[in-house]
Amino acid sequence: MIFDSHAHYDDEQFDEDRDILLSGMEEAGIGGIINMGASLEGVAASQALAEQYPFVYAAAGVHPDHTGSLNEENMQWMYGLCRKPKTVAVGEIGLDYYWDKESRDCQKKWFITQLDMAKETGLPVNIHSRDAAQETFEIMKKEHAGTTGGVIHCFSSSAQMALEYVKLGYYIGIGGVVTFKNARVMKEVAAAVPLDHIVIETDCPYLAPAPNRGKRNSSLYLPLVIREIAEIKGVTPKEVEDATYANVKRVYPKIQ
Ligand SMILES: [Zn+2]
């Protein structure tokens, strides 16, 4: 079975057919999905989806673009959510120096605060890092290494950096980008990271794999990502599917 380790089904792009789509997942071989928090509204919506669908799990965390909305009070609310049985991760959290929607000080402050929340509640993390590879790595090494582990989602740095994260005990999230013709670095990452440290993800509705690039993405397209990774690694798609599913259970222990 296929596990989508990073999705945003609360996005308005799914408003018209969310239930039809999610109701067909198990039949299509999608055995599990983690719906990630991005904004505070997204965190609440992830909880609702996890309550509604047995195979959907929630993550609680605020994306760097939305860290300006965090305060003591809503952090306390998230602590409570982290202790629920179907909240399996703190995410997505990190640094985004590409969009720079919040000041870098604000992003760093809340990144560290949310890493603390993960440590204190015993949850792994799901990390978003864009144009901030070195600083993300430094913070994680200092604040989080060797504790609860987690996934570097939509990994977009070098193969060498990916292996540094693997050394710290993290897993690498690979999605649709690996299928793009010009994604040379991403293909190198998929080749370099051992199969027992890769998880697959959509980040849907974004980043649909080729040949659907630019369309609305969903977990139903994950076989395209699996096929690409299998080809790069010289193994069968079934091996990639089984290994990445086992990896999800290892990195997110609340999923069994
Ligand atoms: Zn995301």
Side-chain angles (χ1 to χ4, degrees):
M1 276 209 287
I2 297 171
F3 199 106
D4 186 349
S5 64
H6 188 121
H8 299 279
Y9 280 105
D10 54 296
D11 191 279
E12 61 183 14
Q13 290 189 50
F14 294 111
D15 281 354
E16 271 187 16
D17 60 349
R18 183 176 296 108
D19 188 52
I20 296 169
L21 192 60
L22 287 173
S23 300
M25 284 299 166
E26 285 179 298
E27 207 179 323
I30 312 299
I33 295 167
I34 304 175
N35 206 76
M36 283 291 150
S39 62
L40 286 164
E41 294 74 25
V43 171
S46 297
Q47 293 291 322
L49 287 169
E51 271 167 37
Q52 194 179 348
Y53 301 95
F55 57 92
V56 176
Y57 299 85
V62 169
H63 185 287
D65 285 358
H66 300 286
T67 42
S69 60
L70 282 170
N71 57 40
E72 282 283 310
E73 201 186 334
N74 50 42
M75 280 302 299
Q76 281 313 311
W77 171 68
M78 284 207 289
Y79 265 86
L81 299 181
C82 286
R83 297 195 167 95
K84 291 188 159 193
K86 286 193 85 184
T87 307
V88 300
V90 168
E92 60 188 290
I93 61 171
L95 301 174
D96 194 316
Y97 291 175
Y98 177 79
W99 291 110
D100 269 328
K101 287 206 178 148
E102 300 291 348
S103 75
R104 294 183 176 183
D105 281 347
C106 175
Q107 294 188 36
K108 271 186 269 185
K109 176 189 165 189
W110 292 109
F111 181 29
I112 293 169
T113 304
Q114 293 185 92
L115 286 173
D116 286 343
M117 176 169 76
K119 273 186 279 189
E120 285 166 28
T121 58
L123 285 183
V125 291
N126 193 278
I127 302 295
H128 171 103
S129 176
R130 192 160 182 201
D131 284 3
Q134 198 55 40
E135 201 147 12
T136 308
F137 186 72
E138 297 300 329
I139 289 176
M140 289 180 63
K141 213 166 147 184
K142 193 160 158 260
E143 304 287 335
H144 204 65
T147 55
T148 59
V151 172
I152 315 302
H153 130 77
C154 194
F155 189 81
S156 59
S157 185
S158 64
Q160 191 194 344
M161 186 57 101
L163 293 175
E164 290 293 317
Y165 275 117
V166 169
K167 246 190 262 169
L168 278 188
Y170 290 92
Y171 289 67
I172 304 298
I174 297 181
V177 176
V178 76
T179 67
F180 298 170
K181 272 212 167 62
N182 56 357
R184 183 182 56 85
V185 175
M186 202 53 236
K187 291 180 203 288
E188 282 171 17
V189 167
V193 176
L195 189 52
D196 63 4
H197 272 77
I198 293 175
V199 298
I200 55 165
E201 59 175 37
T202 54
D203 205 18
C204 67
Y206 310 106
L207 298 174
N212 304 308
R213 190 173 181 177
K215 289 191 193 159
R216 184 185 76 171
N217 197 7
S218 87
S219 314
L220 300 176
Y221 291 160
L222 281 175
L224 296 163
V225 174
I226 288 172
R227 204 181 307 154
E228 182 72 28
I229 297 172
E231 215 160 277
I232 291 169
K233 291 207 157 301
V235 298
T236 65
K238 179 83 171 87
E239 283 173 272
V240 174
E241 189 178 316
D242 292 347
T244 52
Y245 201 107
N247 296 344
V248 162
K249 293 195 214 171
R250 210 173 323 115
V251 65
Y252 297 123
K254 280 188 182 173
I255 300 172
Q256 288 310 325

